[in-house]
Amino acid sequence: MLDRVKFWLQLPKDTTFPKMLDADCDPRSQRVGTALSAPAARYDSPSLSAAQDITATWAGISNMLHNNRAVTVKGPTDHVGGELSLFRQDNSAGFHVIVFLATGNDGGAGGRPYFLAFDPDVSATDAARKAWVTRQTIGDTVTKVSALTEAAAIAQIKLMLLGNDPNSFGPLIRKYYVDTTAVFPPILHAV
């Protein structure tokens, strides 16, 4: 069950979040993007911080989404991660990868545009943290998740991705409002 849950979620070792169990957002996003794009191939976004025609890059991302292909997007952790993410660092180093699923506009055509994204980081927002500790996940993640039945593991994944409210998304699927005319900040690597 741990492998099943870790396919979708980045897990803390315990509910105080002092350390993360895993930080492999890059390979996870590729696996998730592939699973959500099938039978088409996922699309890995080019760098969004490079000097290029950024508007054309975003148009390409939108086209891929409209062709039912999930898009992996990499950026600085404090730019693409949730506001409470433990992957944020004081020196702004590090990166995070999320998976875009669709595009939309608040209130329909002409409304504020957004990208619908899946962020596997269960520490990223208050809503994600509350949904994560709803089940038998208090304490050591490996021990607790390994003890989940298959049905309970699937229920936890559904809760995190789809939520309980039929009128809203789960805590890991969120709207991202992106300025598609501006490049992302560069990714800083720890020295």
Side-chain angles (χ1 to χ4, degrees):
M1 288 310 100
L2 182 62
D3 288 342
R4 182 191 291 271
V5 175
K6 282 183 62 177
F7 181 94
W8 295 103
L9 313 177
Q10 284 179 288
L11 309 177
K13 280 191 172 180
D14 59 47
T15 54
T16 59
F17 299 108
K19 295 163 84 176
M20 296 304 289
L21 173 64
D22 62 292
D24 59 349
C25 60
D26 205 358
R28 174 183 284 106
S29 68
Q30 292 175 20
R31 292 190 309 268
V32 168
T34 297
L36 296 176
S37 295
R42 73 168 192 277
Y43 178 70
D44 297 324
S45 165
S47 171
L48 294 169
S49 62
Q52 59 194 6
D53 183 351
I54 195 66
T55 304
T57 300
W58 281 108
I61 289 171
S62 293
N63 286 338
M64 293 297 154
L65 293 169
H66 293 158
N67 285 307
N68 298 318
R69 293 174 67 183
V71 177
T72 61
V73 175
K74 182 186 289 188
T77 306
D78 57 358
H79 190 71
V80 299
E83 64 273 9
L84 299 179
S85 175
L86 293 183
F87 296 105
R88 291 176 181 243
Q89 299 180 33
D90 291 340
N91 63 0
S92 298
F95 69 90
H96 192 50
V97 185
I98 57 177
V99 182
F100 281 172
L101 308 172
T103 62
N105 294 77
D106 284 335
R112 183 179 178 196
Y114 62 84
F115 290 87
L116 191 65
F118 167 63
D119 180 352
D121 178 4
V122 303
S123 74
T125 65
D126 276 331
R129 290 173 186 230
K130 288 175 183 173
W132 175 242
V133 299
T134 299
R135 299 275 178 172
Q136 304 127 283
T137 52
I138 298 172
D140 179 66
T141 299
V142 174
T143 302
K144 296 297 184 177
V145 174
S146 296
L148 293 176
T149 64
E150 181 173 352
I154 292 171
Q156 183 67 33
I157 292 167
K158 286 182 177 178
L159 175 68
M160 299 298 293
L161 273 63
L162 304 175
N164 286 327
D165 182 350
N167 298 313
S168 64
F169 303 112
L172 300 183
I173 298 178
R174 302 191 291 273
K175 292 179 180 178
Y176 277 75
Y177 298 93
V178 180
D179 180 357
T180 57
T181 64
V183 297
F184 274 19
I187 294 171
L188 303 176
H189 298 281
V191 290

